[in-house]
Amino acid sequence: MTEFRSIVAETGEPHGEPLAVNGPADVAAACAAAAAAFDTYRATDRETRAAFLERIADEIMAIGDSLIEAYMAESGLPRGRGEGERGRTVGQLRLFADVVRKGQWQQLRIDPALPDRAPLPRPDLRLRMIPVGPVAVFGASNFPLAFSTAGGDTASALAAGCPVVVKGHPAHPITGSLIAAAITKAVKDAGLPEGVFQHLVGPSNELGAALVQDPRIMAVGFTGSRGGGLALAKLAQEREVPIPVYAEMSSINPVLLLPEALKARGEALGTAFVGSLTMGAGQFCTNPGLILAVEGEGLDAFVAAATGSVSEAKPQTMLTTGIAAAYAKGVEALEGNAGVEILAKGEAGSKTTGGAILFQTTAAQFLADKAIGHEVFGAASIVVRCKDEAELASLLEGLEGQLTATLHMDDADEAAASRLLPVLERKVGRILVNGWPTGVEVCHAMVHGGPFPSTSDPRTTSVGSMAIDRFLRPVSYQNFAQGLLPAELRDAAYGDGAPRLIDGALTL
Amino acid sequence: MTEFRSIVAETGEPHGEPLAVNGPADVAAACAAAAAAFDTYRATDRETRAAFLERIADEIMAIGDSLIEAYMAESGLPRGRGEGERGRTVGQLRLFADVVRKGQWQQLRIDPALPDRAPLPRPDLRLRMIPVGPVAVFGASNFPLAFSTAGGDTASALAAGCPVVVKGHPAHPITGSLIAAAITKAVKDAGLPEGVFQHLVGPSNELGAALVQDPRIMAVGFTGSRGGGLALAKLAQEREVPIPVYAEMSSINPVLLLPEALKARGEALGTAFVGSLTMGAGQFCTNPGLILAVEGEGLDAFVAAATGSVSEAKPQTMLTTGIAAAYAKGVEALEGNAGVEILAKGEAGSKTTGGAILFQTTAAQFLADKAIGHEVFGAASIVVRCKDEAELASLLEGLEGQLTATLHMDDADEAAASRLLPVLERKVGRILVNGWPTGVEVCHAMVHGGPFPSTSDPRTTSVGSMAIDRFLRPVSYQNFAQGLLPAELRDAAYGDGAPRLIDGALTL
């Protein structure tokens, strides 16, 4: 195949001109250019790199409304969401510009020489983080802007000093190409080598596989399905030189309704829950796919309200017909599962849309059948009725790793919440109180990550400023003359605004 | 097998009482106890955990001379080395106690709520690092104290808040058991659960495999052979929940002799080199196994001096007869390699000892045959003669990842060194000037790590205070009431000495 088409999400029909498909030779050329650009790009000073990230943000805004129109057509998502996501995307780039300028990411450490130490003197030792090398980024279907071509992985890798080769998501090739052109213009205007950013497109998995297998790629960022993430991780492990894959894969995001909160506002919680469940047709990795609560009147009120709201829900356009089909298949499997009962079903979906659905089961059945706990990407969720807090806690212990867990609680639930916290910490990357897991803030204290299989590497986050750490590794310089040291490790650089750990003491 | 014996390195003969071999049931019991201890141990405050690490150091010193005697018998290493290594081991524990007290490892981040932000308010978000869970540590043969039962991996994992299950190295079971008893006493005296530290021993690989495969183990620290490290990494990847393996495996540690330095002191460098090469029978991961230089009189003088010193070298007791046999086999393979020439050979080794040997080859031959660049663990090294700096640089580009690279240089070599630095940074974890890579300082700015295959994960170090990061992962707390937050994230904890990133600004 040498060409493919962009598809309008709402109709499932192609639109626009045929698009060229990148092949293995393009992958090799892109990786060669990225490797060639690496030493030049990583040598840029903090101000140059920060200004470059801001320039990308400006170029994205300069595309104007054609970007939003392409976004809406290709994703089926509404204008407000598109504009909001664009804001998040440029805000993310500007956040990383600020992070780059502040310099903490360099983790500068200086242990001065101790020439008179006995029995042996200590040499001068200095450490900084350097970027790992060219990074492959896989755009996500459900965030055509904030988690795709110029999304979080690209922003954090560029911030770290890594050239980026994006494998654009085939569900939004026009959106991706507009963004890629904006970044390419920023690269050129900043006087950086072309290999700093490159964009490959095509509908096949082979393209992505070739990218991960290229020996010049040193790390991979991915957001998508469990199958896709595991396949890439396997390829990365089988390379002559294995590399890290940061795959954000699947999560059902348990929501715990604690007794006092349920008693006080079961009905309101039920309505609010369905708002979070159906937002964006449920196409969020943080979608609340699992409700856990102890039996009682409060839970009955919650279920009644949620049942009512789900029943009234209209089907929504899904990102692709493939995602709509996978959603229908996942729902069908649960409908056919004897351990699961249907509580409510919204108006049925179609080839391009998905309808909401709410299931119910018992803790015992949930624990007995792992399939009940697998992610169904879309507006499907399941209420698990527990006999008591002990059964709820043991269900949590049996859960797979998750991106988030949510506690709905009142002050009087605090003791119960404290008892549940240790297991939640072991199972998830972010714990919320009295909110909904959809809506991931891009800030410094965000963790969008979690134990396997929610991600392939719980030691990191894919949203927020800490994501820069994924693309860095430490190098130590022993007994270097000042002139040979990297600039930021020289004595003369003290006071440049970056913190330094000097002989173990953090100094600003 | 239910029993095995400790072996005297110098004779290859067993000594002491038969020792019980741990089996699969012991592995399961140890992992269950570690998992049961995890929540209690990780909840200890910084002072409690720091004092516990210091208590371990005190208990190790309290063992007295029987520890040094066991060490000498089992390793064949001299008293001075044993006493020095004990000092390093307790110093390492005290360094981590200091790190734990200072609290930077928690990476506390606080993004306060912005209730008036438009279009959406920002919730309060707070982040801390928590320990990953029970850690399996594999003791190394060549550092029976500093990199074994109470070595760097154990110290950094305990500092992070992870219970540790050590698979003691069968080459020094008595040394390991003395150390294990000291730690166990410290655990008990500190009032901590027994599962915080456990020690398993036995000569088989199955013991270690079972440990890595136990679902309760969440990370692995290993120092040893490439084959051993890769086997454990594979097992860890094939688990239902894959886990990180930090394996420090193999390195030949290139030493670059730059022209002006060679001209000025080729002979002195040759003599000093052999001192580093033969130290500890060459049994260091940082042993200088590769000398790179451009042809000329300086290199001739270096080679003449090194040849002389190697020829006079006496064989030294190796750690085990297995290591001595592997060394003899590795040397034999190089001796039989037509692309390699023998420059000098010390007095031949025996069943228990290894003699020094120095080879020579050309850059072209080195690049043509990867086998020449494989680590031979012991006092063997190879001089690679390059035609010019360009050939030397292209040889560096072709090298596998290494723990260290060393530059011997004069002021007039600085331009050449600057040209070579970018490739060295991409290839190694530590770069030294005018020193020798053996002798790894335990401090804050040390990196003992590097690109594959020197380690399985170049994003970390196994020596120095940064090693604590390997056993931590971030958790984010959203919209928590103060009373429900972990103590260190509450407003009331500000000023507890730990740095905090508040709204992106680092505050002490």
Side-chain angles (χ1 to χ4, degrees), chain A residues 38-39 42 98 102 104 107 109-111 117 121-123 125-130 132 233 237 240-242 244 246 370 397 400 407 409 414 417-418 421-436 439 441 443-447 450-452 457-461 465-466 469-470 472-481 483-484 486 499 501 503-508, chain B residues 38-39 42 98 102 104 107 109-111 117 121-123 125-130 132 233 237 240-242 244 246 370 397 400 407 409 414 417-418 421-436 439 441 443-447 450-452 457-461 465-466 469-470 472-481 483-484 486 499 501 503-508:
Chain A
F38 180 43
D39 281 344
R42 72 186 177 97
D98 184 52
K102 286 194 175 130
Q104 198 190 350
Q107 296 199 41
R109 292 172 168 226
I110 295 160
D111 289 323
R117 190 183 64 175
R122 180 173 83 178
L125 275 153
R126 300 180 186 225
L127 179 153
R128 66 167 178 163
M129 301 302 277
I130 71 165
V132 293
Q237 282 299 320
E240 191 179 332
V241 173
Y246 300 107
K370 277 208 166 178
E397 282 286 1
E400 292 190 308
L407 291 163
M409 57 179 285
E414 197 168 301
S418 294
L421 261 185
V423 55
L424 293 179
E425 288 177 325
R426 282 187 272 109
K427 294 288 175 179
V428 315
R430 176 168 58 114
I431 307 169
L432 302 82
V433 170
N434 293 335
W436 298 98
E441 188 69 35
C443 60
H444 302 286
M446 174 52 63
V447 177
F452 187 91
D457 191 338
R459 293 166 294 177
T460 71
T461 175
S465 65
M466 197 181 247
D469 295 343
R470 313 209 290 183
L472 297 168
R473 69 174 182 87
V475 173
S476 179
Y477 303 83
Q478 181 171 327
N479 195 33
F480 269 51
L484 191 62
L501 193 72
D503 228 348
L506 190 63
T507 56
L508 299 183
Chain B
F38 180 42
D39 281 343
R42 72 186 176 98
D98 184 51
K102 286 193 176 132
Q104 199 190 346
Q107 297 199 41
R109 292 171 169 228
I110 294 160
D111 289 324
R117 191 181 66 172
R122 180 172 83 179
L125 276 153
R126 302 181 184 224
L127 180 155
R128 66 167 178 164
M129 302 301 278
I130 70 164
V132 294
Q237 282 300 319
E240 190 179 332
V241 173
Y246 300 107
K370 278 206 164 179
E397 283 285 0
E400 294 189 306
L407 291 162
M409 58 179 285
E414 197 167 300
S418 295
L421 260 186
V423 54
L424 294 179
E425 288 177 324
R426 282 188 272 108
K427 294 288 176 180
V428 315
R430 176 167 58 115
I431 308 169
L432 303 82
V433 170
N434 293 334
W436 298 98
E441 188 69 33
C443 60
H444 303 285
M446 173 52 63
V447 177
F452 186 92
D457 191 338
R459 293 166 293 177
T460 70
T461 174
S465 64
M466 197 180 247
D469 296 344
R470 315 209 288 183
L472 296 168
R473 69 176 183 86
V475 173
S476 179
Y477 303 82
Q478 182 171 327
N479 194 35
F480 269 50
L484 191 63
L501 194 73
D503 229 348
L506 191 63
T507 55
L508 299 184

Side-chain angles (χ1 to χ4, degrees), chain A residues 41-332:
Chain A
Y41 182 54
R42 72 186 177 97
T44 51
D45 62 30
R46 281 149 53 199
E47 180 52 38
T48 301
R49 209 183 293 166
F52 167 56
L53 294 171
E54 289 168 338
R55 197 185 281 263
I56 296 174
D58 293 342
E59 291 296 340
I60 289 172
M61 290 311 296
I63 301 170
D65 207 50
S66 62
L67 179 66
I68 303 299
E69 282 164 10
Y71 174 99
M72 290 163 62
E74 294 189 318
S75 69
L77 294 166
R79 173 172 287 276
R81 162 74 192 271
E83 289 176 351
E85 200 181 318
R86 179 177 61 184
R88 177 174 160 166
T89 306
V90 299
Q92 197 159 252
L93 286 158
R94 291 184 180 127
L95 175 73
F96 278 110
D98 184 52
V99 166
V100 168
R101 279 198 184 94
K102 286 194 175 130
Q104 198 190 350
W105 58 275
Q106 301 170 107
Q107 296 199 41
L108 305 179
R109 292 172 168 226
I110 295 160
D111 289 323
L114 299 174
D116 300 327
R117 190 183 64 175
L120 288 171
R122 180 173 83 178
D124 181 276
L125 275 153
R126 300 180 186 225
L127 179 153
R128 66 167 178 163
M129 301 302 277
I130 71 165
V132 293
V135 169
V137 171
F138 287 74
S141 63
N142 62 338
F143 280 92
L145 294 172
F147 251 78
S148 194
T149 306
D153 286 343
T154 297
S156 56
L158 288 176
C162 299
V164 168
V165 183
V166 169
K167 193 266 185 190
H169 200 285
H172 49 259
I174 298 177
T175 307
S177 295
L178 288 170
I179 292 284
I183 305 178
T184 300
K185 181 163 187 305
V187 169
K188 200 176 170 185
D189 291 352
L192 294 170
E194 283 178 23
V196 167
F197 175 83
Q198 291 161 101
H199 190 235
L200 302 172
V201 288
S204 80
N205 288 340
E206 285 70 26
L207 179 60
L211 187 56
V212 171
Q213 289 174 313
D214 190 286
R216 289 158 291 208
I217 294 296
M218 297 310 289
V220 178
F222 169 89
T223 301
S225 71
R226 188 158 169 174
L230 293 180
L232 293 184
K234 187 159 187 287
L235 288 177
Q237 282 299 320
E238 288 167 358
R239 288 167 42 126
E240 191 179 332
V241 173
I243 54 172
V245 172
Y246 300 107
E248 197 253 89
M249 300 186 289
S250 76
S251 183
I252 55 171
N253 305 295
V255 175
L256 283 69
L257 310 173
L258 299 193
E260 298 300 325
L262 258 189
K263 219 178 279 176
R265 52 182 191 282
E267 186 183 337
L269 284 171
T271 309
F273 154 63
V274 180
S276 175
L277 173 68
T278 57
M279 193 196 296
Q283 299 165 119
F284 291 105
C285 10
T286 52
N287 199 50
L290 182 64
I291 303 289
L292 303 175
V294 173
E295 291 281 8
E297 281 176 26
L299 180 55
D300 295 340
F302 173 92
V303 165
T307 298
S309 296
V310 166
S311 304
E312 287 160 20
K314 300 284 166 215
Q316 295 176 71
T317 301
M318 297 200 78
L319 293 158
T320 68
T321 51
I323 289 172
Y327 175 66
K329 201 176 151 194
V331 165
E332 204 182 294

Side-chain angles (χ1 to χ4, degrees), chain B residues 249-263:
Chain B
M249 300 186 289
S250 76
S251 183
I252 56 172
N253 305 295
V255 175
L256 285 68
L257 310 171
L258 297 192
E260 298 300 325
L262 257 190
K263 218 179 280 177

Side-chain angles (χ1 to χ4, degrees), chain B residues 379-441:
Chain B
S381 189
I382 188 159
V383 177
V384 180
R385 292 180 170 269
C386 303
K387 279 183 298 187
D388 48 31
E389 187 191 315
E391 190 176 62
L392 193 154
S394 92
L395 190 150
L396 288 177
E397 283 285 0
L399 269 190
E400 294 189 306
Q402 306 288 340
L403 294 172
T404 72
T406 301
L407 291 162
H408 281 282
M409 58 179 285
D410 273 2
D411 290 350
D413 290 311
E414 197 167 300
S418 295
R419 284 190 297 272
L420 295 168
L421 260 186
V423 54
L424 294 179
E425 288 177 324
R426 282 188 272 108
K427 294 288 176 180
V428 315
R430 176 167 58 115
I431 308 169
L432 303 82
V433 170
N434 293 334
W436 298 98
T438 45
V440 179
E441 188 69 33

